[in-house]
Amino acid sequence: MKQNAYSVNDQLHTGARIIPLGCPPHAEPFPHRRSERTLACPTSEGIYLVQVDQIIHCVADGNYVRIGYGEGKELLLSKTLGSIAVKLPASQFVRVHQSHLVNLAKIACVRSDAVVLTNGTCVPVSRRARVELKTIIQSCSL
């Protein structure tokens, strides 16, 4: 029988919920179902829950991905960019290059061969993705 991370003796019963000891009493238990607006990011330090709206871009580096989010924060995941792309909403993220995935809401400027993101990062756009990106951007124009 597989043992849970916390045994019954290591838990504090507070009404209808059980919180592992060592957690502050005001801590909410980990949700059983992941929100559609949250991405669980397993790193060597633990699992980070990142709000999808805060993700600025994802950059592939071999079998690793760097996720840039929030105010200059970055996570390194042992995942491929393709495996991350399928977990993010296609209506909000676009793959502009073989190694770059960007949040459409975080694009500040579109150039002929690159996009500039709200954090100042300049991301290259491949020739193939340029046509798709142009169509998406024009559909958002006034």
Side-chain angles (χ1 to χ4, degrees), residues 23-82:
C23 292
H26 62 276
E28 290 297 320
F30 189 78
H32 295 287
R33 290 183 51 202
R34 180 175 63 83
S35 166
E36 294 300 319
R37 307 305 289 167
T38 304
L39 180 67
C41 300
T43 69
S44 60
E45 300 161 353
I47 299 173
Y48 289 83
L49 299 176
V50 178
Q51 296 297 318
V52 170
D53 294 337
Q54 288 189 0
I55 296 174
I56 299 169
H57 63 59
C58 303
V59 182
D61 186 11
N63 285 332
Y64 293 91
V65 174
R66 293 188 186 280
I67 296 180
Y69 69 101
E71 296 294 321
K73 296 178 183 175
E74 190 174 83
L75 293 173
L76 179 65
L77 308 181
S78 179
K79 303 274 184 194
T80 62
L81 189 59

Side-chain angles (χ1 to χ4, degrees), residues 52-142:
V52 170
D53 294 337
Q54 288 189 0
I55 296 174
I56 299 169
H57 63 59
C58 303
V59 182
D61 186 11
N63 285 332
Y64 293 91
V65 174
R66 293 188 186 280
I67 296 180
Y69 69 101
E71 296 294 321
K73 296 178 183 175
E74 190 174 83
L75 293 173
L76 179 65
L77 308 181
S78 179
K79 303 274 184 194
T80 62
L81 189 59
S83 69
I84 298 296
V86 298
K87 293 182 180 183
L88 296 171
S91 61
Q92 190 175 351
F93 289 85
V94 64
R95 194 157 180 175
V96 296
H97 192 274
Q98 181 180 358
S99 58
H100 294 277
L101 182 71
V102 298
N103 185 339
L104 289 169
K106 304 295 182 177
I107 296 176
C109 176
V110 179
R111 296 183 181 160
S112 60
D113 62 345
V115 292
V116 179
L117 304 176
T118 55
N119 65 355
T121 304
C122 188
V123 177
V125 177
S126 69
R127 288 186 300 258
R128 188 179 305 162
R130 207 171 292 155
V131 175
E132 179 187 356
L133 183 62
K134 184 178 179 182
T135 305
I136 293 169
I137 297 297
Q138 286 178 342
S139 70
C140 298
S141 299
L142 295 176

